[in-house]
Amino acid sequence: MVNVKKGVLVTSDPAFRQLLIHLDDSRQLGSKFIVRELDDTHLFIEKEIVPMLENKVEQIMENMNPEAVDK
Amino acid sequence: MSSDQPAAAPHLTGTSSKNSCLFLDFLITIPPKTRQRLLQKPSCAFFIYRMLPPIAQQTTIQLIWKGSFPTASDVEETKEIEDQVKLLKDLGLVHRQTTDGKLNIDTDYKRSYMYAAMLGAAQISSLVLEPNEGNRRGKDVEKKAVERWDCILRYLALPSEENTQAVSETTRNLFKKANFTSGGDTQIEITTFGFQFLLLSPVKQMWTYVIEYLKLEMSQGQDIVEVIEPLIQIVLLANRVQVAGFKAERECYQIDANWTEPQNELLNHLRELGVIFIRKRKDGVFFLTQLLTHLATNETIDDVSAEKVSNGKVIVETNFRVYAYTSSLLQLAIIALFTEMTYRFQDMSVGMITRESVRGALQHGITAAQIISFLRANAHPQCIATSGPVNCLPITVADQIRLWEDERRRMNLKDAYIYSHFESEDEFHGVCEYARQQNILLWSDNQQKLVIVNEDGHELVRQWYKREKSKTGAGGEASSSTSSA
């Protein structure tokens, strides 16, 4: 019988995909979340992890953009 | 092999227009019979000609006078001419003969255009000019007209009870139907499309309003030709407004006594837009205003960056500070869509373009390109004189805004189901092909034997499996039956 799994398809650029793989390997979200690596621009991930992932990514982006100018 | 089918994002009317003219886009969408009746009217034929792109105009003229159309000198030019011929066909201005493929100009259009060309714009509009003796029937016309237009923009940009009262019920319905506003009568909220509307150029804003009004009339069963004709008659008079030394108060036009109620209703809406001015209905006359030139402008996307801005008020520095030399609350509200305002004085305000403020705008559907073109179009004259129409917005700021937009596009998430461990090659190809046909396939790979469908697609695939199983079962029964026999 065919295997079916529910989740989320992620489409991104290769560099960002590598960041996601790094988050998965280092378990920064508490557990592994990548179900399958598909190709250079696609990943299949667990559905429950998405809110945490979005917050983490936002946090990382925030750290890359320090407030450079005083108001 | 992999395939990805991103959902098509909805576009605001005209923002992705290939023809660059919202009115022509609208004409293409109305029923052919209705459009044919427009082509029979000289004023409409003349106006359509004016709105055509230059090459389409040349093609039209040559077809009218010579019965042939221009030959191209190279491949690139050939393609452009073909694009224009397609536009003319979509508009019903030309038809291709089935026998020999020769292009023919529409006979109604040809007759109407030649009639209009002989008489000229003012005469075919058929509106009667009158002097305004002693400014008796109108004064401060231009100022009041601009106030009318600002009321509409304020209704969107600064929602409040006062601003809601300042616009007509039809305008409110129009914006709601166009999806620019949402919510009940008491609490108006601007939508993504409303934000985008605010950032359009005045030409596109006015035409968007007019076209949404025409659509509203059509949806209510109104004969649209009856409404379009006086609209075009008035817009053709824009030539007078463009004459040097034009004074709005000096002359006015008779409101045609034969105009029907829907046509007078159109007049009310043009008045609300500010393109005409009427002091009192019983005066029986209307005035032209400078804003009318917006409806007569054939704006193309390329023109935006080269647009002559004589009245811009915004300076953007390389450190992302924005200075707006204006006391207009409306303009400040628009700038505040994507800027963090920090200081406000009577006629000058200071803001910062920050990642947070720009991303806030991006979340509302405003694009980086819209923000950039808005800032360029409203740049202070000295910025343009110093740096040119493109670099008046520092290149570092423009690039950063685009980078902030790209950030949001780095990760695209879609709920999905993944299928793996198929029992046979046929099963894999069957599921894959079925998913592709049903438009639910997000990704697949022949090597790994994987299929990914969207969330809604899972149920469809289950049904496919059930049908396949029943086929196999029927075969089994047949086999069994044969064996019994």
Side-chain angles (χ1 to χ4, degrees), chain B residues 400-416:
Chain B
Q400 185 63 68
I401 294 174
R402 289 195 193 95
L403 286 174
W404 284 328
E405 183 179 52
D406 286 347
E407 262 179 34
R408 302 185 71 241
R409 289 204 275 246
R410 301 194 78 180
M411 185 167 73
N412 183 13
L413 303 174
K414 275 201 185 77
D415 287 343

Side-chain angles (χ1 to χ4, degrees), chain B residues 241-394:
Chain B
V241 178
Q242 286 156 342
V243 170
F246 170 81
K247 286 290 193 292
E249 293 88 357
R250 202 144 51 197
E251 61 194 37
C252 50
Y253 289 84
Q254 276 182 20
I255 295 174
D256 197 319
N258 293 320
W259 273 344
T260 62
E261 184 181 334
Q263 290 172 326
N264 279 293
E265 193 61 29
L266 168 78
L267 216 62
N268 283 335
H269 284 283
L270 296 183
R271 178 198 198 181
E272 184 162 11
L273 274 180
V275 298
I276 62 171
F277 174 78
I278 299 173
R279 186 184 69 124
K280 286 180 183 176
R281 263 310 180 141
K282 66 181 185 182
D283 287 345
V285 296
F286 66 90
F287 295 81
L288 306 178
T289 74
Q290 290 290 338
L291 293 177
L292 186 62
T293 59
H294 291 323
L295 290 182
T297 299
N298 187 356
E299 183 185 74
T300 64
I301 294 172
D302 293 337
D303 286 347
V304 172
S305 60
E307 183 177 325
K308 283 186 176 180
V309 182
S310 58
N311 212 24
K313 297 176 165 61
V314 179
I315 297 176
V316 183
E317 292 184 335
T318 55
N319 61 2
F320 293 81
R321 281 185 181 262
V322 180
Y323 300 90
Y325 289 88
T326 177
S327 57
S328 164
L329 289 183
L330 171 64
Q331 294 189 31
L332 292 176
I334 294 176
I335 293 172
L337 294 177
F338 50 82
T339 304
E340 189 181 327
M341 305 306 293
T342 51
Y343 309 117
R344 185 168 293 198
F345 304 102
Q346 183 171 345
D347 62 354
M348 193 269 277
S349 298
V350 184
M352 291 281 300
I353 292 179
T354 68
R355 182 169 170 273
E356 287 70 33
S357 63
V358 169
R359 285 173 66 88
L362 296 171
Q363 278 160 18
H364 283 108
I366 297 173
T367 66
Q370 283 173 323
I371 296 173
I372 290 166
S373 66
F374 177 87
L375 289 172
R376 282 176 177 152
N378 288 271
H380 195 280
Q382 283 187 23
C383 290
I384 297 177
T386 303
S387 311
V390 170
N391 288 329
C392 54
L393 174 67

Side-chain angles (χ1 to χ4, degrees), chain A:
Chain A
M1 190 59 185
V2 65
N3 278 9
V4 185
K5 182 165 179 57
K6 183 170 182 175
V8 172
L9 178 68
V10 180
T11 308
S12 68
D13 59 274
F16 199 81
R17 174 181 174 277
Q18 207 58 42
L19 171 65
L20 295 178
I21 293 176
H22 168 69
L23 291 179
D24 181 72
D25 287 345
S26 58
R27 288 181 169 76
Q28 293 191 35
L29 301 186
S31 65
K32 284 185 172 289
F33 58 87
I34 294 182
V35 174
R36 194 103 181 202
E37 295 181 25
L38 302 172
D39 62 19
D40 284 350
T41 56
H42 295 91
L43 293 171
F44 199 80
I45 68 175
E46 301 282 354
K47 186 180 170 76
E48 312 85 56
I49 211 78
V50 165
M52 286 178 61
L53 178 62
E54 281 176 335
N55 286 335
K56 186 67 178 180
V57 167
E58 186 72 20
Q59 203 178 103
I60 291 172
M61 288 302 177
E62 204 66 38
N63 292 338
M64 289 168 59
N65 292 273
E67 199 66 35
V69 182
D70 290 331
K71 291 184 169 51

Side-chain angles (χ1 to χ4, degrees), chain B residues 57-83:
Chain B
Q57 286 181 345
Q58 290 178 41
T59 305
T60 306
I61 287 293
Q62 293 207 25
L63 284 171
I64 288 176
W65 296 103
K66 295 171 59 183
S68 66
F69 67 100
T71 51
S73 53
D74 57 37
V75 174
E76 193 168 296
E77 211 170 286
T78 299
K79 167 129 191 4
E80 191 165 358
I81 289 180
E82 278 169 12
D83 286 345

